[in-house]
Amino acid sequence: MQDTSPRAVLVYDGECALCREWAARLGRAAGERVDLAAYPEAAARFPEIPRERFRAAVQLVEPDGRSSQGAAAVFRVLAVVGRGGPWWLYRHVPAFAAASEWCYRLVAGHRDARARARS
C-alpha cells in the first residue's frame, strides 16, 4: 500500500543519535511541510523502496511519489523550506553532487560503526 501523506516524509535512522539530531533540525526548519519518521517503523509505509535503501541512507518521499536519498534528500528538504541553494548546486554542478554524496557516505559509514559498537 502506497503512503498518501499530503506532505513529504523524511525517513531517518531512529537508532543513530546523529541521525536523530539532524532529522530534528531539518524537521524544525521544515515545520509542517515535512513529516519525520524513524526507520524501521516507517519502512512499511513505502513498500516501493527496498529496505536496504532505508538502512543505507535517509530517504525523502514526496507526495507525488518522488523519492531521494542521502545528500540529495537533505538538500531537497532544504529546497522545500526555501533554502534551495544546495539543491541547485547538487542538480547543476556534478562535482558538488559527487562530493556531497561522498561526505554523506563517510558520515553514514561511521554511523554503522557506532551501531556495531553498541551491539
Side-chain angles (χ1 to χ4, degrees), residues 4 8 33 41 68 77 86 88 90 104 116 119:
T4 57
R33 291 173 278 195
E41 296 83 17
S68 52
V77 169
W88 187 93
Y90 187 91
Y104 185 93
R116 285 190 299 272
S119 307

Side-chain angles (χ1 to χ4, degrees), residues 14-62:
E15 298 293 317
C16 168
L18 180 65
C19 301
R20 287 192 313 266
E21 172 64 26
W22 277 101
R25 285 180 187 211
L26 289 169
R28 284 191 299 274
E32 293 187 12
R33 291 173 278 195
V34 176
D35 289 334
L36 301 178
Y39 166 82
E41 296 83 17
R45 290 174 57 187
F46 307 102
E48 67 278 10
I49 300 176
R51 287 193 171 271
E52 297 78 40
R53 281 184 48 193
F54 287 110
R55 285 190 286 267
V58 65
Q59 303 291 315
L60 179 68
V61 183
E62 297 188 53

Side-chain angles (χ1 to χ4, degrees), residues 91-105:
R91 288 184 22 235
H92 294 95
V93 181
F96 180 82
S100 298
E101 292 298 344
W102 183 84
C103 289
Y104 185 93
R105 285 190 306 275

